[in-house]
Amino acid sequence: METRSGKFAGDNPFEIAQRWLDEATASEPNDPNAIALSTVDADGLPNARMVLLKAIEDDGFVFYTNYGSAKAGELDGAGKAAFVMHWKSLRRQVRVRGTIMREDGPAADEYYASRSLKSRLGAWASRQSQPLSSRSALMAEVAKVTARHGTNPARPEFWGGYRITPVEIEFWADGDFRLHDRFVWRRAEAGADWTVQRLNP
């Protein structure tokens, strides 16, 4: 079995992912925590969009959204999702596949409270993914919720987080002549032991 060293070293994939994200934070010009989140709708048609990863936990990855959005409907419907986090400056990426559960407790409250006031009010105002007649209509709604909720709005019940608990995590790094380095961590289910395997580029 090949010994992993350098950027791939470690016995915990979440710690490796956090280390890579920390390194990207120092080199990536914008949103080093951006992920391309993939879901499927009720017909199995794939969908993808960029969201911001907000936490790498002991056994999962967490992001936040409006529970009325298209992505939320697809996440709740399938119970599974995937994402890729790519850093052009480091020439690396992390791919994750796993199961989904909502994070709508104290952790969601804490994250919501940490956002800027305008972002918190924007969460109240936006009916994410629904048709919008104009930008001015959206700004009018922002004014309404500002008057209604003031300077310390509570987290809306329709807004919160999702946690992806992975069964597969792949670490990819650019190699000379397109001979990239790839290591995939796999497990049968959450809590099970990981197996690690090098993949062909």
Side-chain angles (χ1 to χ4, degrees), residues 99-180:
T99 57
I100 285 287
M101 67 179 299
R102 285 191 179 191
E103 172 51 77
D104 54 7
D109 293 335
E110 182 178 352
Y111 171 66
Y112 180 79
S114 75
R115 304 177 88 209
S116 71
L117 176 59
K118 289 183 178 180
S119 293
R120 283 178 281 155
L121 292 168
W124 274 103
S126 175
R127 296 175 176 85
Q128 196 172 83
S129 301
Q130 300 304 308
L132 178 65
S133 61
S134 66
R135 177 79 180 179
S136 60
L138 176 61
M139 300 317 293
E141 187 62 26
V142 171
K144 287 180 186 177
V145 299
T146 299
R148 186 180 311 131
H149 296 287
T151 59
N152 191 27
R155 179 174 62 88
E157 63 181 16
F158 55 80
W159 191 97
Y162 283 97
R163 179 182 292 103
I164 299 180
T165 302
V167 293
E168 185 174 300
I169 305 174
E170 181 189 313
F171 297 92
W172 178 103
D174 182 70
D176 293 337
F177 313 112
R178 311 299 292 172
L179 299 177
H180 312 305

Side-chain angles (χ1 to χ4, degrees), residues 1-2 4 8 93 95 168-173 178-186 195-201:
M1 184 69 172
E2 181 179 7
R4 287 172 291 105
F8 294 101
Q93 67 182 18
R95 298 173 60 216
E168 185 174 300
I169 305 174
E170 181 189 313
F171 297 92
W172 178 103
R178 311 299 292 172
L179 299 177
H180 312 305
D181 289 307
R182 299 172 62 188
F183 287 92
V184 62
W185 296 62
R186 293 190 178 105
T195 61
V196 187
Q197 186 173 42
R198 179 187 275 274
L199 300 179
N200 272 279

Side-chain angles (χ1 to χ4, degrees), residues 25-37:
T25 299
S27 62
E28 202 71 12
N30 293 296
D31 296 329
N33 61 328
I35 61 176
L37 176 70

